[in-house]
Amino acid sequence: MKDSIRHLIQQALDRLTAEGVLPAGLTPAIQVENTKDKSHGDFASNIAMMLAKPAGMKPRDLAEKLIAALPADEQITKVEIAGPGFLNFFQNSDVLAQYLEAALADAQLGVRKNGPAQRVVVDLSAPNLAKEMHVGHLRSTIIGDGVARVLEFLGDTVIRQNHVGDWGTQFGMLLAYMQENPAAAESELADLEGFYRAAKKRFDESLEFADRARELVVQLQAGDAECLRLWHRFNDISLSHCQALYDRLGVKLSMADVKGESAYNDDLPQVVADLAAKGLLTEDNGAQCVFMDEFKNAEGNPLPLIVQKAGGGYLYATTDLAATRYRAGVLKADRVLYFVDQRQALHFQMVFACARLAGFVPASMDMEHMGFGTMNGPDGRPFKTRDGGTVKLVQLLDEAEQRAYSLVKDKNPDLGEDELRRIARVVGIASVKYADLSKHRTSDYSFNFDLMLSFEGNTAPYLLYAYTRVAGVFRKLGKGVDEIGGQITLVAEQEQALAAKLAQFNELLGNVANKGTPHILCAYLYDLAGLFSSFYENCPILSAEDEATRDSRLRLAALTGRTLKQGLELLGLETLERM
């Protein structure tokens, strides 16, 4: 609805500009907000106050001219001026009810993308295969997954790319340890972290081992068959660890989505050669660098994007440049989203700028770094184990499920063990994911088990329970919504508030897709659940005063349930019919 109102206001502005009331060339950002007091309308805009000065008019006088210039729209019953010049829009309840009926009958809940479908590459997760996944990998994985799901739901073609760290000098050390302990390697690899520590210990203690590790890196990069065999074996085991966690988290990533650093290895010399051919390379202390005018340090000196070290080795920038042209030339992406730590912002700004300068990507392809903050412990510091080590992701999920099990068992002591475990798994995993997804992507946040497992506030348990309340209505009725007749009618204040929120789902998902911010979907679902609770308490459903009212409220409840369920699925969360 906000988009429709913005369009109406823009048409009025165009008309007033053509009539000379407004000066030409104004391009204001038209703000439309939901009103809190519905007696003063459903939506409000401050556009008249924004443009009063350039128009040389009082805000209320300009507001009157805007109202007169607004095209008629059946979705709006009237527009009034409030306060110093706000435009208050009143929504047509009958048209809103018709929209909700159409959404209820539609598999997509009336959701359609505003604009043409695109091919979108989503770069997410990207663990280092030398170690087990830890809590630092959670945000890239689940935020990227949530946005990818929304894009797919809106009709885009989404290509997931798991840019794993599967190449580099540390693999020489790991291969040397595998060669030295071939019998023990298979069993020891069950604990990747322990295997890495043991290999690092040998590397630090033995000069002979370290020299052999360095030689194996050279052999691996040269394509030695035995080194490649060991390397493939190590990667297969590492990726199986990752896949087990993806499956447990309910993340839509598979082995087919893996496109690691090694995949671009053969193209790296050509990347450097092509940069040289474009005249973009400068030698600096033996290294090959790209200097771009827009990137300077605090002293005003140019910053280098190093693409080849003095010794001939390549860097992350080289691999990332190769990836940009693969995604442009082979994957034919219209848009590429990189869900990588916010601390890599400068790196990606430089890589994107260099890729455009070199002609590796077309001007039409958007590249966006979807940076995110860090997960911290309750003390506000990076999340660590009690002994200061990195928290493995599997440990975090195990503890979440165990805490959820205790919580659910206390509330439902009569549930069978299998049912308890199933509910605890859903609640535990959902709570970890939602606690993260509900925070703004770019913010750091403190992880707190007690808060995230609460049934009060903006938490997964609260939303899961809200959905079970809807399911409970239809379970008590003994019928599905397809067996319910009638039409939605909006009379009570709580019905109208709930209906207005349901109608925002389409526009809300468009914002998530455009900005890569799942937290606004979380906030929407939380508000929706609260409005349903108010509706449920104030508007009797099964005991309504007549059949028409009962059926209308059942249909409104059904659409709420479907929207909650769909929204949670887009966040990658399972739902429960009862808990």
Side-chain angles (χ1 to χ4, degrees), residues 104 326 378 512 558:
L104 185 58
Y326 170 79
V512 175

Side-chain angles (χ1 to χ4, degrees), residues 300-459:
N301 298 317
L303 287 171
L305 181 68
I306 307 172
V307 296
Q308 190 171 28
K309 294 186 285 190
Y314 302 107
L315 297 100
Y316 288 129
T318 333
T319 304
D320 285 334
L321 285 169
T324 63
R325 64 180 187 180
Y326 170 79
R327 291 164 181 181
V330 178
L331 299 182
K332 307 294 182 187
D334 299 305
R335 188 183 181 203
V336 186
L337 309 182
Y338 291 76
F339 288 89
V340 185
D341 193 321
Q342 189 70 31
R343 290 170 290 189
Q344 300 299 315
L346 178 60
H347 167 80
F348 282 110
Q349 288 170 20
M350 297 180 77
V351 167
F352 296 164
C354 182
R356 295 203 186 282
L357 269 179
F360 290 168
V361 302
S364 61
M365 189 177 96
D366 292 326
M367 294 180 290
E368 302 166 59
H369 175 217
M370 299 286 178
F372 51 82
T374 58
M375 176 205 286
N376 298 323
D379 59 358
R381 297 178 179 178
F383 205 51
K384 299 287 185 182
T385 58
R386 288 184 179 86
D387 59 6
T390 302
V391 179
K392 294 180 183 179
L393 190 48
V394 68
Q395 295 171 332
L396 186 78
L397 300 183
D398 286 346
E399 183 169 354
E401 287 193 30
Q402 188 54 49
R403 285 174 178 255
Y405 175 84
S406 299
L407 183 70
V408 174
K409 189 171 184 177
D410 286 345
K411 288 182 174 291
N412 303 279
D414 298 329
L415 279 179
E417 184 66 16
D418 289 347
E419 184 73 357
L420 271 174
R421 291 291 176 191
R422 187 181 69 84
I423 294 174
R425 178 187 61 78
V426 173
V427 172
I429 299 296
S431 296
V432 168
K433 294 177 72 173
Y434 192 85
D436 190 302
L437 292 165
S438 60
K439 310 302 186 297
H440 194 294
R441 170 168 54 76
T442 61
S443 301
D444 297 343
Y445 78 97
S446 294
F447 188 89
N448 185 307
F449 272 119
D450 293 333
L451 290 178
M452 76 178 202
L453 285 165
S454 173
F455 275 82
E456 297 178 0
N458 189 11
T459 66

Side-chain angles (χ1 to χ4, degrees), residues 264-319:
Y264 304 104
N265 191 56
D266 292 345
D267 191 38
L268 302 186
Q270 193 61 49
V271 166
V272 175
D274 290 346
L275 291 171
K278 292 274 188 180
L280 294 173
L281 289 186
T282 300
E283 186 174 315
D284 187 19
N285 292 322
Q288 295 298 319
C289 309
V290 178
F291 289 96
M292 293 169 281
D293 291 340
E294 62 264 45
F295 298 104
K296 292 180 170 62
N297 61 19
E299 289 74 40
N301 298 317
L303 287 171
L305 181 68
I306 307 172
V307 296
Q308 190 171 28
K309 294 186 285 190
Y314 302 107
L315 297 100
Y316 288 129
T318 333
T319 304

Side-chain angles (χ1 to χ4, degrees), residues 84 186 211 222 238 244 269 554 564:
E186 289 294 315
D211 288 341
S238 298
L554 281 168
L564 284 170

